[in-house]
């Protein structure tokens, strides 16, 4: 008689995890734009003011409108996520809400401050003095970083929980500072913030690369490509170093997750590093093996012992090992390729103070935006699937936290419909803005802070958003 009782719970768990994965995967792209795009907008704004650059000022003004649109849509998707925590995982929020609730409260403060300064910056064009307007945009960057810290710190705490007692039953004592600055924060927060700058930089640059491939080779487009691509190219090798540090920390503090990421079945030294391949109980089938390299990556020596999945019972191991392993390899591989793109840009700039002239550079840049998004999603698969079967690592299982209410598949379908509508609306709005800007009507091409009829010569043919 246990089977009929077990099936609804299993169905609820699958539905809840699917819904959470979908909404997180959608929202994280908008969250990344919200964190990093304002900084690129301010770089253009600064260049425009410092060098009397009309094209840079026009970029900053147009980008500020894109920031406003993506911020509004991100606010909707983020609100849905906040409700999902309570609706899908009531045992989790009921037991640990007072532990991580302080971080969500801090995030809410940052969110409202960001909304206020986005409004001030948008409406400040032509209403504030130039440098006053510029400085009014700086809090947008700061609050975006603060919000990212708060949210990622919650996820870090779920990976390495501390600052509460007892570890079983109701929580009666919370130490907020230990919760906020848990051991995973030093690498998870920088990793996510750098990922946001990578995704935004390559995604924005890819838009202008496509425009240039279509023949729009004016200075406006070149500057629109160069600013975000330069920022992303600088951030990428830093991200690689942070990711390497994070992987070693996970091998030490969450060894089972690391074993799942690398398909390490048995605890051993001289462990082979496999690039892709299919994970099985008897080892990796296929893929490219590098003998001893996995041990070397963990402890800078092939003699380093790597904990395997055999260290815990089967029920305590991450599911979908092949997917987890492929997600990790995909994230690392794309990051490596993006470093190469940044070096290509840096070498050309060092030699000619210009972007590479070959069309292949623009083609690769055009693809880099999608590639960066794929790497971002792969990274979250590693973080979330790798922690399973725990919602709070080694403290609460995901199956114990899920709601027992019926209808989760129905709400999942409704959320998918809502997010598809939001996605279509966002893309349609941005495309409409782009077409209007390419049409170069007077109201959109006037130079911020300048006379109403001033039009930059370099954008007479219009430009991309």
């Amino acid at each position: 008689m246990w089977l009929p009782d077990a099936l609804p719970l299993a169905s609820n768990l699958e539905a809840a995890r699917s819904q959470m994965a979908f909404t997180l995967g959608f929202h994280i792209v908008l969250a990344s734009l919200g964190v990093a795009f304002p900084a690129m907008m301010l770089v253009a704004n600064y260049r425009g003011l410092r060098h009397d650059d009309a094209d840079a000022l026009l970029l900053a003004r147009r980008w500020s409108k894109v920031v406003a649109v993506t911020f509004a849509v991100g606010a909707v998707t983020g609100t849905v996520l906040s409700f999902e925590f309570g609706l899908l995982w009531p045992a989790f929020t009921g037991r640990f809400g007072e532990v991580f609730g302080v971080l969500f409260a801090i995030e809410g403060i940052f969110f409202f401050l960001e909304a206020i300064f986005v409004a001030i910056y948008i409406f400040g064009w032509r209403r504030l003095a130039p440098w006053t307007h510029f400085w009014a945009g700086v809090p947008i960057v700061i609050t975006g970083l603060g919000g990212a810290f708060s949210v990622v710190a919650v996820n870090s705490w779920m990976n390495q929980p501390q600052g509460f007692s007892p570890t079983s039953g109701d929580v009666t004592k919370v130490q907020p500072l230990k919760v906020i600055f848990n051991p995973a924060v030093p690498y998870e927060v920088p990793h996510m913030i750098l990922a946001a700058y990578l995704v935004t930089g390559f995604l924005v640059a890819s838009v202008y690369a496509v425009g240039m491939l279509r023949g729009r080779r004016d200075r406006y487009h070149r500057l629109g490509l160069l600013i975000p691509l330069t920022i992303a190219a600088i951030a990428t090798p830093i991200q690689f170093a942070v990711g390497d540090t994070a992987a070693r920390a996970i091998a030490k503090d969450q060894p089972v997750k690391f074993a799942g990421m690398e398909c390490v079945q048995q605890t051993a030294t001289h462990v082979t590093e496999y690039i892709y391949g299919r994970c099985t109980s008897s080892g990796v089938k296929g893929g490219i093996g590098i003998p001893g390299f996995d041990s070397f990556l963990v402890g800078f020596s092939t003699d380093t012992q790597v904990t395997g999945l055999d260290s815990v019972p089967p029920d305590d191991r991450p599911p979908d090992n092949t997917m987890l392993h492929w997600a990790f390899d995909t994230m690392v591989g794309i990051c490596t390729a993006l470093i190469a793109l940044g070096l290509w840009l840096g070498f050309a700039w060092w030699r000619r103070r210009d972007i590479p002239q070959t069309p292949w550079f623009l083609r690769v840049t055009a693809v880099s935006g999608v590639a960066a998004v794929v790497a971002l999603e792969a990274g979250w698969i590693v973080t979330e699937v790798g922690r399973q079967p725990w919602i709070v690592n080694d403290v609460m299982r995901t199956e114990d936290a899920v709601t027992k209410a019926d209808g989760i598949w129905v709400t999942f379908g409704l959320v998918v419909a809502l997010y598809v509508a939001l996605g279509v609306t966002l893309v349609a709005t941005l495309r409409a803005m782009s077409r209007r800007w390419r049409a170069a009507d007077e109201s959109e091409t006037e130079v911020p802070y300048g006379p109403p009829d001033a039009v930059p010569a370099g954008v007479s043919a219009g430009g991309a958003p």
Side-chain angles (χ1 to χ4, degrees):
M1 296 297 293
W2 61 269
L3 188 57
D5 293 331
L7 281 176
L9 181 59
S11 180
N12 268 12
L13 180 60
E14 184 180 355
R17 288 188 62 195
S18 299
Q19 181 173 328
M20 202 76 183
F22 175 78
T23 50
L24 267 173
F26 191 104
H27 176 71
I28 196 172
V29 179
L30 293 169
S32 296
L33 290 170
V35 170
F37 207 0
M40 297 173 193
M41 172 189 75
L42 285 184
V43 169
N45 196 164
Y46 177 84
R47 179 177 176 81
L49 294 177
R50 186 71 176 80
H51 300 283
D52 196 23
D53 188 332
D55 291 316
L57 283 175
L58 187 58
L59 273 173
R61 187 178 188 188
R62 288 177 172 176
W63 284 354
S64 69
K65 296 178 180 180
V66 177
V67 166
V69 171
T70 54
F71 179 84
V73 177
V76 176
T77 58
T79 300
V80 172
L81 271 172
S82 65
F83 280 108
E84 284 180 341
F85 267 95
L87 294 174
L88 299 179
W89 316 104
F92 168 61
T93 54
R95 180 176 168 190
F96 295 110
E98 63 182 286
V99 179
F100 59 79
V102 62
L103 283 165
F104 279 134
I106 294 171
E107 192 274 337
I109 294 171
F110 280 123
F111 172 80
F112 284 114
L113 288 174
E114 185 177 4
I116 291 169
F117 282 101
V118 166
I120 292 172
Y121 189 84
I122 294 292
F123 291 104
W125 292 108
R126 296 191 172 279
R127 292 176 177 84
L128 297 174
W131 283 107
T132 301
H133 177 256
F134 169 81
W135 287 109
V138 173
I140 303 175
V141 178
I142 297 172
T143 53
L145 294 174
F149 175 94
S150 303
V151 172
V152 178
V154 174
N155 184 267
S156 302
W157 177 84
M158 292 165 69
N159 285 319
Q160 294 197 46
Q162 66 168 28
F164 68 96
S165 60
T167 55
S168 61
D170 295 334
V171 173
T172 59
K173 184 177 180 182
V174 178
Q175 298 173 280
L177 291 180
K178 285 191 174 183
V179 173
I180 295 171
F181 299 104
N182 61 79
V185 159
Y187 59 84
E188 268 204 45
V189 170
H191 199 52
M192 183 60 233
I193 290 175
L194 286 166
Y197 275 81
L198 260 68
V199 168
T200 303
F202 287 115
L203 201 56
V204 175
S206 69
V207 173
Y208 291 91
V210 171
M212 294 179 73
L213 285 169
R214 292 176 177 175
R216 303 178 195 123
R217 299 298 182 98
D218 51 65
R219 184 175 180 276
Y220 172 89
H221 277 78
R222 295 167 73 84
L223 198 60
L225 182 147
L226 186 60
I227 290 174
L229 188 59
T230 300
I231 293 173
I234 293 171
T236 307
I238 302 173
Q239 174 72 315
F240 196 89
V242 171
D244 180 64
T245 301
R248 281 197 300 276
I250 290 171
K252 175 179 177 290
D253 299 321
Q254 293 178 274
V256 178
K257 174 190 279 193
F258 185 83
M261 290 159 47
E262 295 286 32
C263 290
V264 180
Q265 295 296 327
Q266 296 181 336
T267 302
T269 60
H270 301 275
V271 176
T272 299
E273 169 76 16
Y274 285 96
I275 301 174
Y276 291 106
R278 183 168 56 90
C279 301
T280 72
S281 58
S282 57
V284 179
K285 305 298 182 183
I288 302 172
I290 306 175
F293 195 53
D294 202 28
S295 290
F296 182 83
L297 290 176
V298 172
F300 300 109
S301 170
T302 57
D303 292 327
T304 302
Q305 178 174 285
V306 179
T307 302
L309 292 171
D310 64 343
S311 62
V312 295
D315 288 346
D316 290 345
R317 300 172 188 175
D320 305 313
N321 273 181
T322 298
M323 180 185 71
L324 182 60
H325 178 57
W326 279 43
F328 181 68
D329 285 356
T330 298
M331 176 182 63
V332 175
I334 291 176
C335 188
T336 303
L338 294 177
I339 289 175
L341 176 59
L343 291 173
W344 191 357
L345 172 66
F347 181 73
W349 190 263
W350 173 67
R351 292 196 63 187
R352 295 189 299 269
R353 288 294 186 272
D354 199 0
I355 64 174
Q357 298 301 311
T358 170
W360 276 107
F361 174 78
L362 294 177
R363 294 187 185 109
V364 174
T365 303
V367 173
S368 69
V370 174
V373 172
V374 171
L376 177 71
E377 301 290 359
W380 273 100
I381 289 173
V382 171
T383 298
E384 296 305 300
V385 176
R387 190 179 62 246
Q388 300 305 314
W390 306 97
I391 192 169
V392 180
N393 195 44
D394 289 332
V395 176
M396 174 180 274
R397 288 180 176 271
T398 308
E399 64 184 6
D400 295 331
V402 72
T403 179
K404 294 178 175 58
D406 295 329
I408 303 301
W409 285 114
V410 176
T411 63
F412 182 25
L414 293 174
V415 167
V416 170
L418 170 64
Y419 276 44
V420 168
L422 285 171
V424 170
T425 301
L426 175 62
V427 172
T429 301
L430 294 178
R431 286 180 62 85
M433 293 164 66
S434 177
R435 285 194 296 269
R436 186 172 69 247
W437 291 333
R438 283 201 300 272
D441 64 82
E442 182 176 335
S443 65
E444 291 296 335
T445 55
E446 61 186 28
V447 182
Y449 313 127
D453 58 348
V455 179
V459 294
S460 57

